[in-house]
Amino acid sequence: MQKTLLKLTAVSALLLSLASPQAFAEGKRILINGAGATFPYPIYSKWFSEYSKVVRPGVEFNYQSIGSGGGIKQISARTVDFGASDAALTNEQLRSAPGKLLHIPMVGGAVGVTYNLDGVTGRLNISPEVLAGIFLGQIKRWNDPLLMADNANANLPSAEIIVVHRSDGSGTSNIFTDYLSSVSPEWKQKVGKGTSVSWPAGLGGKGNEGVAGTIKQTPDSLGYVELAYGEKNNLPFFAIKNKAGKFIVPSLEATTAAIEGKANDMPADFRVSLVNPDGETAYPIAGLTWILLYQKQLDGAKGQEMVQFLRWAVHDGQKYTKDLLYAPLPQQIVAAIDQRLSEIQIKS
Amino acid sequence: MTNEIPFKKIWWEDPLFKSSTAFLAWFVFGLSVLLVFILGKFSLPSIAQFGLHFFSSTEWNPVTENFGALPFIYGTIVSSLIAILIAVPLSLGVALYLSELGPMWIRNPLNFLIELLAAIPSVIYGLWGIFVLVPFVRKYVEPFLSACFGFHPLFQGPMYGIGMLSAGIILSIMIIPTISSISREVFSLVPASLKEGAFAIGATRWEMIRLVMLPYGRSGVLGAVILGLGRALGETMAVTMVIGNRPDIAISLFAPAHTMSSVIANEFSEATTSLYAASLMEIGLALLVLTLALNILARMLVWSFYGKAKGTRA
């Protein structure tokens, strides 16, 4: 079926080129197709529109935010020019792809833990083992001694903690369960990490809005949402104890600090989990989002434009991140990305 | 001679019309056969891996790739049953009032408003559910049920508001317009002579409704219930927003649950491995079979009531 699809695309491309020989000859319009993650969709669409409007008119992007899983499937089947994912590909997925796939980090994001507690003001703190205990269903009440120990001044009620998690498969859940797996051996063994897992406790909400809505409507509840979504909706967030032992409030700066914390042991293919990084100011539940493309670009013109766009996005494009509540990439990572981009082979 | 021309023109028109309508009818039939075939084909990896165990296992773990559909089947059936239990008496009341008891001037506007309920998109029902219905159920309905019937395990356990009960209630609101407007049509078809006959032998209005209208409309009302049930079984968005999406089988109606359609909507976009996707496909296939089976069952029920010979409106 893919072959027929390819043939069809080839035939229609041929017809198109016959229909508008002028545009084709001048190389005026190039359409680059991509598909994948929903999390970076706002920044990607901002980049695509700025890039085609200001930087390089004539290069257009068509991005379908169908989810990371879909993005991986589509780029592996070569039905798109680039994929996008919040989860790095597994070794098995990389092997089954028809060519060598590169991961290019674009921006960082964080996952915040929010709550609904009446009468509790001020910042609440939480330690990793307590968070894992709550999501494992072992710490059941707000006034649990472990939770009280982190919040000496807060007047925590004796009510039952109602856990809320994502019910749809998502990169947010992937980052969050990755974090719990890294801080709790019991979580790693019983549940593990993934875009959807078998949750030991709690209610499931569909999407960030489903989780936030459920928390808002359920007294004494607790759950995790994307930082950007929570900030836009003024949700209260826990400060979470990082590897250095400091309680860190989620923010863009703390997320960038988390990326910096991993910069030293960043592998050459950028497939790194950002959770629980080093660094005094790093927020521990953070993740990268990647664009996936083949190292050997079969379509010369498209490959050229794609690389040029990526270079722009990790340099000039980063200035748009803050307004849209994404964490920009730190300098040393950008330098490493430039190196990788220069190694892409473009068929002439 | 002059008579022959129109006659000659007609001879191929009828067969053409017949064959083209036949083509269209078979085309739609073929589409549904193809649908079943494709669903079956894509769920093959899951069928091969789990076999019948798929329908008896309660584990749903995407990390270890161990999949069982029982909690979803249970959730779909129970939430639809709650919806039918609430919606049928309500809709029959509405239909009787609108066709028999209510003042003439109010019948059409009221009917219009109730039918309008069917036009509200289900995601709006879901939003309304999470922001209005769920807090209401948590604060009033569940404490009330627990106080009155708390001795029964159906009404025990923590009250979240979100759960099977809220899902059933929201589904019932969504299917009321379907059941009530068809039932109203059915009741309005009861011949006036039958009704007058009942009055003539001294029946009260209630007796007339019970002895004439309800038996006469039985098969039509059953047809309406089948349509409502069909909508309840397949409803996705509104349910997934209030049911809690937890693949567990709990006796309590207060507990969170999951349905077949909502697990597909929730997890399909990120189902990266082939076994995961195939398992979701198989749930889709099972939902199709379940809907078909319930429809056939209901159709047989109609026939047993009414007899095939008289022909049914259902």
Side-chain angles (χ1 to χ4, degrees):
Chain A
M1 203 187 99
Q2 279 158 20
K3 270 191 184 160
T4 9
L5 211 75
L6 268 176
K7 271 184 202 158
L8 267 177
T9 331
V11 169
S12 43
L14 198 74
L15 284 175
L16 266 177
S17 66
L18 287 174
S20 54
Q22 208 174 4
F24 202 75
E26 291 172 21
K28 251 187 186 166
R29 285 180 61 225
I30 288 184
L31 181 68
I32 298 176
N33 293 303
T38 47
F39 160 69
Y41 178 67
I43 182 82
Y44 286 1
S45 52
K46 175 80 183 165
W47 279 343
F48 295 150
S49 85
E50 284 297 319
Y51 193 74
S52 343
K53 241 186 351 216
V54 184
V55 186
R56 203 161 163 78
V59 177
E60 272 163 35
F61 293 88
N62 168 27
Y63 182 71
Q64 310 283 330
S65 58
I66 54 174
S68 301
I72 294 171
K73 269 185 216 161
Q74 302 253 327
I75 188 71
S76 302
R78 284 193 190 267
T79 47
V80 289
D81 304 311
F82 68 93
S85 175
D86 301 336
L89 270 69
T90 59
N91 288 332
E92 194 191 338
Q93 281 170 325
L94 281 180
R95 265 197 303 275
S96 65
K100 190 184 176 200
L101 271 175
L102 298 180
H103 290 68
I104 307 295
M106 302 311 293
V107 289
V111 178
V113 181
T114 179
Y115 56 89
N116 175 356
L117 266 183
D118 250 2
V120 175
T121 50
R123 181 65 68 178
L124 288 183
N125 295 328
I126 199 162
S127 308
E129 45 293 352
V130 180
L131 192 61
I134 290 173
F135 274 84
L136 279 165
Q138 292 160 346
I139 294 174
K140 287 183 188 304
R141 300 207 171 266
W142 280 100
N143 62 355
D144 190 281
L146 285 170
L147 198 51
M148 300 275 274
D150 289 336
N151 301 283
N153 300 321
N155 182 22
L156 292 172
S158 64
E160 194 190 333
I161 302 173
I162 298 169
V163 173
V164 187
H165 55 76
R166 287 280 288 267
S167 61
D168 51 331
S170 79
T172 311
S173 295
N174 189 48
I175 293 171
F176 189 70
T177 52
D178 188 14
Y179 174 69
L180 290 183
S181 296
S182 78
V183 295
S184 157
E186 191 179 356
W187 180 276
K188 191 174 185 177
Q189 184 238 325
K190 278 190 181 161
V191 185
K193 65 164 185 161
T195 51
S196 16
V197 299
S198 174
W199 296 93
L203 307 171
K206 190 174 186 315
N208 283 304
E209 63 285 0
V211 170
T214 305
I215 290 175
K216 222 176 204 165
Q217 295 305 318
T218 316
D220 311 317
S221 59
L222 169 157
Y224 63 92
V225 292
E226 223 167 70
L227 172 66
Y229 183 86
E231 294 263 308
K232 276 180 224 151
N233 292 280
N234 290 318
L235 301 178
F237 281 121
F238 277 104
I240 296 177
K241 196 200 259 179
N242 66 12
K243 210 172 176 182
K246 295 268 176 1
F247 286 100
I248 301 295
V249 176
S251 67
L252 298 183
E253 295 72 33
T255 310
T256 300
I259 309 175
E260 271 163 6
K262 287 277 177 173
N264 292 333
D265 47 352
M266 180 70 71
D269 63 358
F270 300 113
R271 282 194 301 152
V272 71
S273 148
L274 278 194
V275 298
N276 219 14
D278 296 323
E280 293 268 310
T281 57
Y283 180 72
I285 319 180
L288 287 171
T289 186
W290 295 272
I291 275 186
L292 309 166
L293 78 169
Y294 287 103
Q295 179 154 35
K296 288 202 177 80
Q297 290 289 315
L298 299 180
D299 183 322
K302 272 188 186 176
Q304 200 90 47
E305 294 298 341
M306 191 67 214
V307 169
Q308 210 166 333
F309 163 75
L310 289 174
R311 201 166 278 141
W312 174 83
V314 297
H315 287 272
D316 295 353
Q318 296 286 316
K319 66 172 182 268
Y320 298 106
T321 52
K322 295 234 159 134
D323 283 344
L324 294 166
L325 296 167
Y326 293 93
L329 298 170
Q331 268 317 307
Q332 58 265 56
I333 305 281
V334 174
I337 294 173
D338 282 339
Q339 178 63 32
R340 272 310 88 63
L341 288 177
S342 66
E343 290 163 15
I344 290 180
Q345 301 156 15
I346 295 161
K347 200 175 169 189
S348 50
Chain B
M1 277 300 270
T2 43
N3 282 348
E4 267 176 30
I5 296 163
F7 195 70
K8 261 188 181 170
K9 253 188 178 173
I10 283 165
W11 77 266
W12 55 268
E13 278 178 358
D14 259 2
L16 182 73
F17 186 65
K18 189 184 167 192
S19 53
S20 55
T21 49
F23 168 76
L24 291 175
W26 283 103
F27 180 72
V28 174
F29 175 74
L31 270 186
S32 35
V33 171
L34 201 66
L35 183 76
V36 175
F37 174 75
I38 294 288
L39 273 177
K41 187 182 159 215
F42 283 117
S43 44
L44 272 181
S46 156
I47 295 171
Q49 174 85 16
F50 303 114
L52 281 179
H53 185 65
F54 188 71
F55 300 103
S56 61
S57 162
T58 56
E59 196 187 343
W60 183 264
N61 192 334
V63 179
T64 58
E65 300 219 297
N66 211 339
F67 300 109
L70 193 60
F72 308 106
I73 299 173
Y74 176 82
T76 295
I77 293 179
V78 174
S79 60
S80 304
L81 274 183
I82 299 172
I84 290 289
L85 278 179
I86 300 174
V88 168
L90 265 172
S91 311
L92 285 185
V94 168
L96 284 173
Y97 184 78
L98 289 180
S99 64
E100 198 57 33
L101 303 169
M104 275 298 176
W105 62 269
I106 210 172
R107 291 185 188 179
N108 274 331
L110 205 58
N111 184 51
F112 175 73
L113 287 177
I114 290 170
E115 283 184 354
L116 213 60
L117 281 179
I120 299 174
S122 59
V123 65
I124 307 290
Y125 273 108
L127 283 176
W128 176 80
I130 203 164
F131 288 111
V132 181
L133 180 71
V134 163
F136 180 78
V137 167
R138 185 183 65 243
K139 278 186 213 144
Y140 305 106
V141 180
E142 289 181 343
F144 171 77
L145 287 173
S146 155
C148 295
F149 310 105
F151 55 85
H152 196 280
L154 271 180
F155 305 106
Q156 288 168 358
M159 296 171 237
Y160 303 120
I162 281 180
M164 187 77 98
L165 186 65
S166 294
I169 294 174
I170 209 156
L171 280 176
S172 73
I173 299 171
M174 295 176 78
I175 63 177
I176 280 174
T178 312
I179 303 183
S180 72
S181 67
I182 297 177
S183 302
R184 175 180 160 271
E185 296 281 317
V186 169
F187 290 142
S188 67
L189 288 174
V190 178
S193 57
L194 282 183
K195 294 196 267 186
E196 282 159 10
F199 287 131
I201 56 169
T204 61
R205 181 160 279 205
W206 161 240
E207 284 167 331
M208 187 279 288
I209 288 172
R210 189 165 60 94
L211 298 171
V212 175
M213 293 188 74
L214 289 180
Y216 189 90
R218 199 159 46 189
S219 71
V221 169
L222 247 168
V225 174
I226 297 172
L227 276 181
L229 185 65
R231 182 162 190 207
L233 287 171
E235 177 48 46
T236 311
M237 266 320 284
V239 172
T240 204
M241 288 172 92
V242 300
I243 202 168
N245 301 311
R246 181 158 189 76
D248 269 351
I249 297 180
I251 304 289
S252 173
L253 296 184
F254 300 169
H258 217 327
T259 68
M260 298 163 88
S261 53
S262 53
V263 71
I264 297 174
N266 268 305
E267 300 188 8
F268 197 75
S269 65
E270 293 288 325
T272 35
T273 65
S274 62
L275 187 60
Y276 193 3
S279 297
L280 289 169
M281 282 287 183
E282 195 177 350
I283 286 189
L285 187 65
L287 180 59
L288 194 71
V289 172
L290 181 74
T291 316
L292 267 180
L294 282 175
N295 266 301
I296 291 170
L297 199 75
R299 190 58 57 105
M300 281 161 69
L301 214 61
V302 173
W303 282 339
S304 72
F305 271 144
Y306 209 70
K308 276 179 258 180
K310 286 185 184 172
T312 58
R313 265 186 300 277

